[in-house]
Amino acid sequence: MPEGNEIHRYANLHTAAFVGKTICVEAPNGRFTGAALLTGRKLKSVIAHGKHLAYDFGRDRKLHIHLGRFGDFTEGKMPYPEVKGILRMRWSTATDWLELRGPTDCSVYTDEQWQAVEERLGPDPLAPQADSSEAIAYIRKAKAPIGALLMDQTVFAGIGNIYRAELLYRARQNPFASGNTVPEKTLQAIWRDAVTLMPDGMVDRRIVTTRAKDRPHPKGRPQRDEVHYVYRRHGKPCLVCGTTVERADMAGRTLYWCPTCQLGDASVSPKRIASKPGKQPKP
């Protein structure tokens, strides 16, 4: 599932290509019934909040898109390429085109509906001047594991499975500890780390969370197996301490952690997943 860095990257990309232009909106497979409400209108702005996008066409019409686990955009210069796969939506101007496949949601919202989405989402580390104080105060009272709370979009918006695992590792925080046992200074450090790391992930869709000094090859561009500390590294040695990285189910996704670097006190026992040679876990 695209995390907040990718959603904000799309917002920037689509702003540059389409904002201020009249858009021809189509629904090739007929599943996007809102196309007729938007086509021929000028796109005013693109808004990103966490994992949600809103394309403002004015007059109380915002196209809401949530990519979910399988949604994706493709973009390019006119003319359109040959149609491949099942398109939920495509649009174009005289110079550019955009195609959307497989989103969880693609529908026209009123301004009030979009405002309701924003109000239920937590602060976004990629939003300028975002205030994390209420979210941190909520975590400090919560009994749920911190690893689950970081995936809750009403707490922090935009943090997904990769950043969840990596932020907790970089903070040396046990993911199974309840939120109310995590020191406030640790939560503030996790937030600051997200604010620093996530913009870097917007550049080339490559999330790199390791520090050069911790990589086997500290010089130059990090190699493929050196970009993350724990995410999808189960069964391999921790880059820092050498302990075998483990994985477990948490909040509907696979969590990865180092049982030595992230020891601490745990209020929830991990339910480990048996490793199957040659088979990758679900992200």
Side-chain angles (χ1 to χ4, degrees), residues 1-6 51 69 147 150-151 153 158-171 175 190 193-194 197-198 201 205-210 224 226-233 250-251 253-257 262 281-283:
M1 179 184 293
E3 303 193 29
N5 63 300
E6 183 114 341
K51 299 179 181 181
R69 294 186 68 178
L150 286 188
M151 291 287 282
Q153 298 300 294
I159 294 176
N161 207 27
I162 300 176
Y163 282 114
R164 183 252 303 255
E166 296 298 296
L167 289 168
L168 287 171
Y169 179 87
R170 286 168 61 98
I190 289 173
D193 212 17
L197 288 176
M198 293 182 73
R205 308 178 80 172
R206 192 181 194 222
I207 297 176
V208 178
T209 56
T210 53
R224 184 176 180 178
E226 300 174 351
V227 296
H228 302 141
Y229 283 107
V230 291
Y231 179 74
R232 282 196 168 183
R233 297 197 72 253
M250 182 181 285
R253 303 298 296 278
T254 302
L255 168 75
Y256 304 87
W257 85 102
Q262 296 171 262
K282 293 182 180 180

Side-chain angles (χ1 to χ4, degrees), residues 234-248:
H234 65 282
K236 298 178 180 180
C238 172
L239 295 175
V240 174
C241 74
T243 302
T244 300
V245 173
E246 298 197 24
R247 60 176 177 161

